[in-house]
Amino acid sequence: MGEMQGRELELEVTNVAHGGISVARHDGRVVFVSDAIPGERVRARITEDSKKSFWRAETVAVLEPSPHRREHVWAAAGPGRDPRDRAGGAEFGHIEIGHQRELKRQVITDALSRFGGITRDVVVEALPGEPDGTGWRTRVRLHVDEDGGIGPYAARSHRVIRVADLPLATPGVREVAPLGDRFPGEQTVDVLEPSVGGARLIIGTQKPLTITERVGEREFTLDDGGFWQVHRAAATTLTDAVQHAIDDALFDPRAHNLDLYGGVGLLAAAVGDRFGSATRITTVESDAAATEHAGRNLVEWVGASAVTARVERWITALAGSAGEGERERMRAGTVILDPPRAGAGAVVVEAIAALQPAQLVYVACDPVALARDIGLFRERGYEVDDLRAFDLFPNTHHVEAVTRLVRA
């Protein structure tokens, strides 16, 4: 423990950083402060001083509040609790919802400038739902403590916090969440509400069951523990966004089109629905159960196929072995990619760029990872042609972006 850890300082908070934290300075040193808003003066407790370049701190009192501060939407995560006992998962809940989107806009534009080398503004678009940003989570993971009680983890910790409510969750999830029950011997309790069939629990590692999610008129099957967008309007929003992001003039349904990190086929289906049943598209996903579902979900498109493989290995092998005919189909192709939070990374970017597809539609849940990958694509001859952002995670710092890149 450093000599500053546990000490309290008065800090002037100046701006927002990636990760849902704000930035202040103390004697020239950067201090990352949680539960604060740029423009505020706060008293904060130092929680980490081991880094020479910065410290971390938690707000314990707001001395001069921002006009954008509001009563926290979740008392269990709010300033009425000691920072160590605040539930995680609602780190922007004390900020007025419109200003949350403004801060997310700042994070995106700063990341694009610093890591992507581009200056571009963006509007963070709201999704349908409650005006205070509650009631949207269709999936909540609760953890079991040593006494069998359940709750979310504390912010920035793996300590279970028992709570009385889950305001970010949908009404159906809130109704069945067994917050007062005990589950000795288990590790997790997942509560989910698919768009078809009602809310349910997954206790521990019980055998997966198949559920159905509906997007417009289309239905998708998947395992109940499998990945699906969490916001109740997210799948529809991203389907529409990806369909609009594809440049018609650059799309060839007979080309070798790809959907990388494709899950159960949501975005491949978005492409097929827009361009017709003969559209050729290969969706690639490392999770075998998801790929099996994707094959069924995409069965009506004669040119669709689902491959189980790690994307970096599969795309690198394709780039290394494709003959001239395959390369020609790839150069006419469109690549959809929706990588995990860490981004696609240099290996995947290098392989995609080597195949020279006509356009890329990149769906990203982390602005810094997106910006880094954009920088890598720009070094290889691609430029951002369109970028939109969506508030898929209200009352948290997370934000989704959909970007089109084309050969310069």
Side-chain angles (χ1 to χ4, degrees):
M1 180 183 294
E3 63 179 21
M4 290 298 296
Q5 193 159 338
R7 287 184 56 181
E8 294 185 2
L9 303 173
E10 288 191 11
L11 299 171
E12 302 284 345
V13 182
T14 55
N15 55 297
V16 67
H18 177 53
I21 51 179
S22 295
V23 181
R25 290 184 181 271
H26 177 73
D27 292 338
R29 184 187 303 274
V30 170
V31 184
F32 292 118
V33 190
S34 60
D35 300 318
I37 305 174
E40 292 187 327
R41 187 164 64 91
V42 303
R43 188 167 71 251
R45 181 186 301 140
I46 302 298
T47 58
E48 181 184 331
D49 64 350
S50 58
K51 305 288 187 182
K52 291 184 178 180
S53 58
F54 66 86
W55 294 340
R56 294 188 183 276
E58 297 171 328
T59 299
V60 294
V62 180
L63 306 176
E64 293 180 8
S66 164
H68 304 293
R69 180 171 282 273
R70 64 174 180 181
E71 183 177 355
H72 204 291
V73 296
W74 191 11
R81 288 193 173 196
D82 184 283
R84 291 166 294 192
D85 295 327
R86 292 172 189 166
E91 62 277 5
F92 272 10
H94 60 292
I95 307 172
E96 183 273 323
I97 194 73
H99 195 59
Q100 291 183 32
R101 297 185 187 119
E102 164 58 20
L103 295 177
K104 294 178 187 187
R105 182 198 68 80
Q106 292 175 22
V107 168
I108 294 170
T109 56
D110 179 64
L112 290 172
S113 174
R114 291 173 58 201
F115 301 105
I118 61 174
T119 300
R120 191 179 188 97
D121 207 355
V122 64
V123 174
V124 178
E125 303 175 36
L127 271 65
E130 299 302 319
D132 65 350
T134 60
W136 55 269
R137 286 197 72 104
T138 62
R139 285 155 171 78
V140 173
R141 167 155 287 186
L142 302 170
H143 302 272
V144 183
D145 65 22
E146 59 187 10
D147 297 321
I150 63 170
Y153 280 145
R156 299 166 294 279
S157 169
H158 283 173
R159 192 159 56 88
V160 175
I161 303 297
R162 299 190 190 185
V163 298
D165 61 349
L166 298 168
L168 300 196
T170 61
V173 167
R174 294 199 300 263
E175 183 177 351
V176 304
L179 294 178
D181 295 351
R182 296 178 70 252
F183 296 85
E186 301 292 350
Q187 292 186 314
T188 59
V189 176
D190 291 310
V191 193
L192 64 152
E193 185 184 20
S195 51
V196 177
R200 64 183 67 201
L201 303 180
I202 306 175
I203 300 171
T205 56
Q206 68 186 47
K207 184 178 179 181
L209 299 174
T210 299
I211 59 172
T212 300
E213 294 282 3
R214 184 176 292 125
V215 181
E217 298 301 314
R218 184 166 298 286
E219 291 187 344
F220 295 83
T221 62
L222 64 151
D223 285 358
D224 54 4
F227 175 78
W228 188 258
Q229 292 292 337
V230 175
H231 192 297
R232 60 185 179 183
T236 300
T237 298
L238 291 178
T239 292
D240 179 75
V242 166
Q243 288 176 336
H244 283 84
I246 298 170
D247 186 338
D248 289 23
L250 296 176
F251 188 82
D252 181 352
R254 296 160 302 194
H256 195 168
N257 302 297
L258 303 178
D259 171 32
L260 304 180
Y261 314 93
V264 298
L266 173 69
L267 300 183
V271 177
D273 272 342
R274 182 170 177 201
F275 294 101
S277 60
T279 298
R280 181 183 179 190
I281 189 163
T282 302
T283 185
V284 183
E285 165 61 50
S286 62
D287 185 285
T291 307
E292 185 176 342
H293 286 297
R296 291 192 290 268
N297 293 332
L298 300 172
V299 69
E300 70 187 70
W301 290 284
V302 294
S305 60
V307 174
T308 303
R310 291 181 62 87
V311 167
E312 59 267 33
R313 294 177 184 170
W314 188 88
I315 195 72
T316 300
L318 178 63
S321 64
E324 186 49 42
E326 187 69 9
R327 289 186 177 277
E328 184 177 347
R329 288 191 294 274
M330 277 302 312
R331 284 193 292 271
T334 293
V335 174
I336 314 295
L337 63 159
D338 183 7
R341 193 167 302 282
V347 171
V348 172
V349 170
E350 178 72 40
I352 292 173
L355 292 166
Q356 298 183 310
Q359 63 183 327
L360 317 169
V361 176
Y362 190 134
V363 180
C365 59
D366 185 287
V368 169
L370 169 65
R372 286 186 176 129
D373 285 346
I374 284 174
L376 294 172
F377 276 119
R378 293 184 68 236
E379 291 172 0
R380 291 158 177 78
Y382 285 84
E383 291 293 344
V384 173
D385 191 44
D386 185 59
L387 191 152
R388 295 173 69 189
F390 301 92
D391 196 14
L392 263 59
F393 313 93
N395 292 308
T396 83
H397 73 277
H398 299 293
V399 62
E400 198 93 355
V402 177
T403 306
R404 179 173 68 239
L405 296 103
V406 298
R407 292 199 298 258

